[in-house]
Amino acid sequence: MNQNKLFHLTRVRLALWYALVMAFILSLCGFGVYKAVSHAHWVALDRELESVAGTLHDSIELKLQQPGRLEPVVKELLPNICVVGDECVKKQLHVQRHTLGAVNQGFYYVRFFDNSGRLVAIAGLAPEGLSSNFNKQRWQTLKDSKGKLYHQVSFVLHTQDNRDWGYIQVGRSLSDFNSYLDAVKLILALGLPVVMALVGSASWWLAGLAMRPIYRSYRQIQQFTADAAHELRTPLAATEATVESALLMPKLDEQEVRDILRSIQRQNHRLTTLVADLLLLARLDRQSMSLRPELCCLNDVINDLIEEFAAMSNAAGVMLTSSVRVHQPVNVIGDCEQLYRLVSNLIVNAIQYTPRGGQVTVVLDRSDHYAVIQVQDTGIGIPHHELSQIFYRFYRVHGDRSRSSGGSGLGLAIAMAIVQAHQGNLKVQSELGKGSIFTVELPYNGLPLKSFCTLGPLKVLYGRQGKGV
Ligand code: ADP
């Protein structure tokens, strides 16, 4: 499948999954909000009903004398009360007038039952078809014949002399309550698609954002593969050409054979170095796996390197010196072999890119948290706009020059990878035509200041490495 298509498909899938998960979470939240609102309303409603019923109960109970009989004074408290048997009950059932004297609200009804559970009187709203059979349960939710819901509470009534009078039942229509909940449901139902549309576009955008680094790294790998193939092809093609031309020659004397073999050896060496560099980078990419931490004395590393590259700098007509700006030895915990490689890459570059008569200085210093190594040269310098790219794999500023000197374009990438594996920093300052300064900062990693350098020559341990030196 075309890679772009694959990335697009992955983005669509990611966005869809994200939107689905968000939809599920939002629906759960919506349901939760609805439940919380409904619960809060039920609690408020129960409290309201209890307080209305309690007030009525208390004020009526004081006036009751005979069980099951409503005193006229009670009728004054509830002006629209109708005693069963009177005409007004039927009238009320049809006219549905509802002014409850005690609370003056249109949603309430009050019913009185005697001790045997017979309806005695009714006041306020008269729900049509609501069962008049008494049920002793304190809280009840009932339906009338039209399917409207009512919520009611029942209390026992006593006479003044503390005999059981019967029961008072105060109920309330749930129509306002239900229409409020319907409105909440409607808002949630209408709001959800709008929110989902927003979530959909946000998911698309976020999926794109998440895919970006993957896409970038995929491009880098593609570029890296192409560059590596190109670098490998160059020495292979040169070897092939050498062999081909040798085979075409009718006769070869010993000197010619030697020259041909030397040329093949050179190309082979270049290939070996390149493959070793690539393997090292791959190992460093896995970071900790490739590090062998030990106590590393940077003074010794630098002394050994100065000694090792003396011949090379002499041949290039460049003066190579070191400058140690601290009196105590500078130690770090790290992989000495890698650190040696790191500084050697910088020194080789400095010598290679410094014309005859120039100077390369390796400085050892320390700051509060870092051991600092600087490789300074008075060479050709690097254009400002290329400074950020020189650490990329296979990137070369001076393409031909670096190739002819055997550089693979991996030296600084390796140096950077080693520094990063040691949690350090590698920075560069450069001025075109004047020179460059590469600064390595390596953390002490909790190492006490007072440690000693014991090393013999590192180069014996690690040998000459990389950069086609
Ligand atoms: P190479 O193997 O080509 O030297 P590096 O990764 O070591 O690759 O360096 C990348 C590029 O950075 C080089 O091709 C060179 O153009 C530039 N460069 C590195 N060090 C220096 C330096 N000290 N002075 C000038 N240019 C440098």
Side-chain angles (χ1 to χ4, degrees), residues 121-140:
I122 181 165
L125 168 76
E128 215 173 313
L130 194 71
S131 166
S132 56
N133 292 338
F134 181 68
N135 183 335
K136 271 191 177 163
Q137 234 177 315
R138 192 173 164 89
W139 289 101
Q140 289 172 72

Side-chain angles (χ1 to χ4, degrees), residues 150-169:
Y150 297 86
H151 193 52
Q152 64 179 31
V153 60
S154 306
F155 286 124
V156 178
L157 279 171
H158 297 98
T159 58
Q160 284 168 343
D161 51 1
N162 212 17
R163 281 176 297 155
D164 284 351
W165 182 95
Y167 304 91
I168 181 172
Q169 210 170 53

Side-chain angles (χ1 to χ4, degrees), residues 11 55 83 94 99 141 184 204 212 248 259 261 268 304 326 368 448:
R11 184 179 178 183
T55 315
V83 177
H94 293 107
T99 42
T141 304
V184 173
W204 180 248
R212 220 177 277 171
L248 284 176
D259 286 349
L261 286 177
N268 199 43
D304 284 353
V326 274
D368 284 346

Side-chain angles (χ1 to χ4, degrees), residues 349-350 352-353 377 380-382 390 395-398 402 407-413 436 438 467:
N349 274 349
Q352 268 173 6
Y353 300 109
D377 66 58
I380 56 176
I382 304 162
I390 54 172
Y395 190 85
R396 292 183 177 99
V397 181
H398 319 286
S402 115
S408 61
L410 289 176
L412 287 181
S436 314
F438 284 83
K467 302 290 300 179

Side-chain angles (χ1 to χ4, degrees), residues 67-374:
R69 208 189 78 195
L70 277 174
E71 310 306 324
V73 67
V74 175
K75 295 178 186 168
E76 279 167 30
L77 269 173
L78 299 163
N80 62 344
I81 192 166
C82 289
V83 177
V84 171
D86 289 3
E87 257 312 286
C88 58
V89 170
K90 283 187 198 132
K91 242 193 322 183
Q92 262 204 347
L93 284 176
H94 293 107
V95 176
Q96 296 216 355
R97 253 183 20 81
H98 21 257
T99 42
L100 185 64
V103 286
N104 202 22
Q105 276 195 29
F107 299 111
Y108 285 88
Y109 63 84
V110 183
R111 300 199 292 183
F112 293 92
F113 292 87
D114 65 13
N115 283 322
S116 60
R118 194 179 55 86
L119 183 65
V120 175
I122 181 165
L125 168 76
E128 215 173 313
L130 194 71
S131 166
S132 56
N133 292 338
F134 181 68
N135 183 335
K136 271 191 177 163
Q137 234 177 315
R138 192 173 164 89
W139 289 101
Q140 289 172 72
T141 304
L142 310 168
K143 228 183 227 176
D144 71 5
S145 57
K146 287 185 179 163
K148 285 187 188 158
L149 285 169
Y150 297 86
H151 193 52
Q152 64 179 31
V153 60
S154 306
F155 286 124
V156 178
L157 279 171
H158 297 98
T159 58
Q160 284 168 343
D161 51 1
N162 212 17
R163 281 176 297 155
D164 284 351
W165 182 95
Y167 304 91
I168 181 172
Q169 210 170 53
V170 180
R172 183 194 200 285
S173 155
L174 290 180
S175 57
D176 61 330
F177 175 73
N178 283 339
S179 52
Y180 175 77
L181 284 188
D182 285 346
V184 173
K185 263 191 243 171
L186 190 74
I187 290 170
L188 288 175
L190 290 180
L192 203 65
V194 177
V195 171
M196 277 322 297
L198 288 176
V199 165
S201 18
S203 327
W204 180 248
W205 178 69
L206 283 175
L209 217 63
M211 293 296 295
R212 220 177 277 171
I214 301 170
Y215 192 65
R216 203 180 305 133
S217 120
Y218 169 75
R219 283 251 168 270
Q220 274 170 6
I221 291 169
Q222 259 188 340
Q223 184 65 43
F224 177 73
T225 314
D227 288 342
H230 179 76
E231 290 300 324
L232 289 168
R233 203 182 54 186
T234 314
L236 282 174
T239 311
E240 199 179 327
T242 314
V243 173
E244 248 172 42
S245 62
L247 288 174
L248 284 176
M249 286 188 196
K251 211 165 166 231
L252 293 167
D253 61 29
E254 197 194 327
Q255 187 54 42
E256 280 170 330
V257 171
R258 282 191 182 282
D259 286 349
I260 289 166
L261 286 177
R262 244 181 244 118
S263 160
I264 292 175
Q265 190 189 32
R266 241 192 343 269
Q267 299 306 338
N268 199 43
H269 176 75
R270 203 170 155 185
L271 269 178
T272 316
T273 312
L274 185 64
V275 170
D277 282 356
L278 286 173
L279 284 175
L280 175 63
L281 270 175
R283 273 209 335 268
L284 284 168
D285 280 345
R286 280 179 274 137
Q287 284 217 349
S288 52
M289 284 176 70
S290 57
L291 285 183
R292 280 176 291 131
E294 55 195 313
L295 183 69
C296 217
C297 174
L298 296 181
N299 304 59
D300 287 347
V301 171
I302 288 171
N303 288 340
D304 284 353
L305 282 165
I306 296 288
E307 204 183 308
E308 177 169 359
F309 288 109
M312 183 189 179
S313 57
N314 271 343
V318 173
M319 193 155 94
L320 175 64
T321 51
S322 68
S323 153
V324 179
R325 295 186 182 159
V326 274
H327 300 301
Q328 288 154 314
V330 182
N331 297 291
V332 289
I333 298 276
D335 185 326
C336 293
E337 186 181 340
Q338 307 283 17
L339 294 178
Y340 191 85
R341 174 76 194 267
L342 152 70
V343 186
S344 94
N345 279 10
L346 298 180
I347 296 177
V348 172
N349 274 349
I351 296 173
Q352 268 173 6
Y353 300 109
T354 301
R356 283 191 163 274
Q359 209 171 328
V360 173
T361 314
V362 185
V363 178
L364 179 62
D365 202 350
R366 56 173 303 143
S367 66
D368 284 346
H369 303 287
Y370 294 102
V372 182
I373 301 170
Q374 274 191 342

